[in-house]
Amino acid sequence: MSAESTWCETSETMRAEVPEPPGFVIARAAVERIELVSPTFARITFAGAALDAFGTPGRGLDQRIKLIFPGASGRVPDISETDDWYRGWLDLPEEERGSMRTYSIRELRVEPDGTRVVVDFVLHLEPGATGPASSWAAGAAAGDELLLVGPRRGGPDWGGIEFDDGVGGPVLLAGDETAAPAIARILEDVAPDTVGTAWIEVPHAEDRLPIAAPAGVEVRWLVRGDEAHGSALIPALLAHVGLDGPAGAAVAASAGADADTEAPVWETPTYSNLEEAGYRPTHAPTSQACIIGSCAECVRSFDARILRARECRYWIAGESGVVTTLRRHLVRECGVDRARVAFMGYWRRGVAMRG
């Protein structure tokens, strides 16, 4: 056997023994910059060498990532980058484990001196409404560290993106302030010829932040003030698609009334938790008038606005009760095909969310 063939066989053996890295990255990152861009949003830029393998530049869309905050010890937890990292995190002592929350990437920048990940935090600072993420963001300073868990650059599909940019038709995006960063990222990543409408409900007029949306997409900001979540979004969106119904606080007060669970609704073309989470089914043909198309819902379905609404691709996220209410009207009364929708409850009123 020649020396050359021995070297080739050894090289092949070494390559075979090197395991493929996981499809995700657990990156220790430090706060580089903090901007209070509005009364509701704190924009925090993270930097660190591990971020050079993090995320997919140019295709963030609504990519979900995990943020792990330091625990009571004040130290960032030490987690192995293996497929069972989550179990390893759970097994840590509580004072070392810290808290985990899910966020969207507002911006991912690849610069000559490294990658930056920008996250917009919603500052829920009212008594009884704040959580570990808001508290951390409100008190963060340059140099503070945490862990970011997200897709490995150039790796296999890690999941966490619900917006389907392969479906045709106008877009209709809607959500509250917790969904605003994802909506902004979607609009800045979709094709320049995309058309449609985005509805974003926020507490304050100053929360209407710049978004570099395609020319054919209209961004409509809705300021609810001190009213309940959904009080501005629900009636505005339903009117847009041609549905008449109760407006304002009355609608918001009944949001989520069809749910028997605290679990947020999550329904996309590829996944649904409605049955396991205990959401009750809605409209079904129960009368001869409905079967022949002469009930109020069916007659209304011939409204030109509703016919146009059926051609849209929907992405709706935010408070789960509001999302559930919009889903009920769009699917039942508008007749929107479930294959064209993604309904995601990011949080639920009165329920402390985990992870």
Side-chain angles (χ1 to χ4, degrees):
M1 180 181 294
S2 68
E4 180 179 355
S5 62
T6 301
W7 180 87
C8 290
E9 291 177 6
T10 303
S11 299
E12 290 295 330
T13 301
M14 291 177 64
R15 279 198 294 269
E17 292 175 351
V18 175
E20 290 291 328
F24 60 89
V25 174
I26 300 178
R28 179 183 289 260
V31 174
E32 183 177 71
R33 185 181 182 188
I34 303 169
E35 302 172 81
L36 297 178
V37 292
S38 79
T40 297
F41 295 106
R43 179 165 295 168
I44 299 184
T45 301
F46 297 97
L51 293 178
D52 290 340
F54 190 94
T56 305
R59 195 179 182 275
L61 299 172
D62 59 327
Q63 176 72 66
R64 298 189 303 280
I65 61 173
K66 300 293 186 182
L67 273 57
I68 302 178
F69 303 93
S73 68
R75 295 185 294 271
V76 174
D78 185 16
I79 304 174
S80 298
E81 200 172 77
T82 60
D83 288 337
D84 61 350
W85 68 270
Y86 184 73
R87 170 53 55 188
W89 176 73
L90 288 177
D91 289 343
L92 291 173
E94 187 173 351
E95 66 274 10
E96 297 288 339
R97 187 188 313 146
S99 300
M100 182 186 302
R101 292 294 184 268
T102 303
Y103 275 81
S104 302
I105 299 173
R106 179 58 187 88
E107 186 180 7
L108 189 149
R109 299 196 305 266
V110 179
E111 300 176 340
D113 61 342
T115 297
R116 268 74 175 174
V117 175
V118 180
V119 177
D120 282 359
F121 290 81
V122 175
L123 301 177
H124 295 295
L125 299 180
E126 301 84 359
T130 191
S134 293
S135 298
W136 183 90
D144 288 353
E145 292 186 328
L146 48 59
L147 296 179
L148 278 70
V149 185
R152 182 177 298 277
R153 193 171 305 172
D157 182 13
W158 190 64
I161 294 178
E162 305 298 350
F163 180 81
D164 188 353
D165 54 357
V167 176
V171 299
L172 195 155
L173 314 177
D176 60 21
E177 60 269 31
T178 64
I183 292 175
R185 185 72 263 147
I186 290 171
L187 292 178
E188 293 179 1
D189 283 346
V190 294
D193 60 352
T194 300
V195 298
T197 311
W199 302 81
I200 308 175
E201 182 189 87
V202 291
H204 309 284
E206 298 87 347
D207 295 325
R208 297 174 293 184
L209 302 176
I211 299 176
V217 177
E218 180 182 3
V219 179
R220 300 184 181 181
W221 293 90
L222 304 168
V223 180
R224 69 170 181 273
D226 295 328
E227 299 299 325
H229 281 80
S231 58
L233 178 61
I234 293 173
L237 194 149
L238 295 185
H240 176 74
V241 299
L243 294 177
D244 298 322
V251 178
S254 64
D258 57 347
D260 292 325
T261 176
E262 292 184 345
V265 63
W266 200 278
E267 183 179 36
T268 72
T270 59
Y271 172 81
S272 174
N273 75 341
L274 297 187
E275 183 174 351
E276 64 184 82
Y279 285 86
R280 296 195 295 271
T282 53
H283 178 73
T286 57
S287 68
Q288 184 65 22
C290 186
I291 293 172
I292 66 175
S294 60
C295 72
E297 289 85 351
C298 295
V299 170
R300 194 160 55 235
S301 71
F302 293 98
D303 186 300
R305 291 172 297 173
I306 291 183
L307 295 177
R308 288 195 298 270
R310 292 174 182 171
E311 299 173 356
C312 290
R313 41 182 165 153
Y314 292 83
W315 185 100
I316 299 175
E319 199 283 317
S320 187
V322 175
V323 173
T324 302
T325 297
L326 290 172
R327 175 196 175 277
R328 182 172 66 245
H329 287 287
L330 291 170
V331 172
R332 182 185 75 180
E333 298 182 47
C334 253
V336 173
D337 188 339
R338 288 184 175 87
R340 305 186 67 83
V341 301
F343 297 112
M344 293 150 293
Y346 277 5
W347 64 285
R348 188 164 186 83
R349 185 183 290 111
V351 178
M353 307 309 296
R354 297 180 181 179

